[in-house]
Amino acid sequence: MPEQPSLSTQETSADLENLSPSAKLVAKTLEYEGDSTQSKLAESTLLPQRTVRYALSQLEENDIVTSRISFVDARQQVYSLELGDGERIGTEA
């Protein structure tokens, strides 16, 4: 099994350092579980939907997370961790 990249790169760690605890939790959850929707992240982290939405907006502003439309349900966004070289971590949930 190939080794999966992690958030421990210096760039990403520095970006995460100044974010809220909820943003850090959402980022770690995406790292461990792979791509996910907002509702699945809320379920996994036990955070309220509103808190997850705010955390994702912080992560997107800092280019740590990217979003795309879900192929399964076009009404939802799928969130992925973004590596410095443009690669994503995980697979669509």
Side-chain angles (χ1 to χ4, degrees), residues 25-63:
L25 176 60
V26 168
K28 273 298 187 185
T29 303
L30 284 169
E31 179 183 7
Y32 289 122
E33 295 181 3
D35 295 358
S36 189
T37 62
Q38 181 181 324
S39 39
K40 286 184 183 177
L41 284 167
E43 187 178 309
S44 295
T45 60
L46 302 177
L47 294 171
Q49 288 274 347
R50 184 176 180 173
T51 303
V52 171
R53 186 170 45 252
Y54 179 68
L56 287 168
S57 70
Q58 286 184 311
L59 293 167
E60 282 187 298
E61 285 174 9
N62 287 281
D63 297 322

Side-chain angles (χ1 to χ4, degrees), residues 8-38:
S8 61
T9 62
Q10 290 177 341
E11 263 180 44
T12 307
S13 294
D15 291 340
L16 276 174
E17 188 174 307
N18 298 320
L19 297 180
S20 66
S22 59
K24 293 173 186 175
L25 176 60
V26 168
K28 273 298 187 185
T29 303
L30 284 169
E31 179 183 7
Y32 289 122
E33 295 181 3
D35 295 358
S36 189
T37 62
Q38 181 181 324

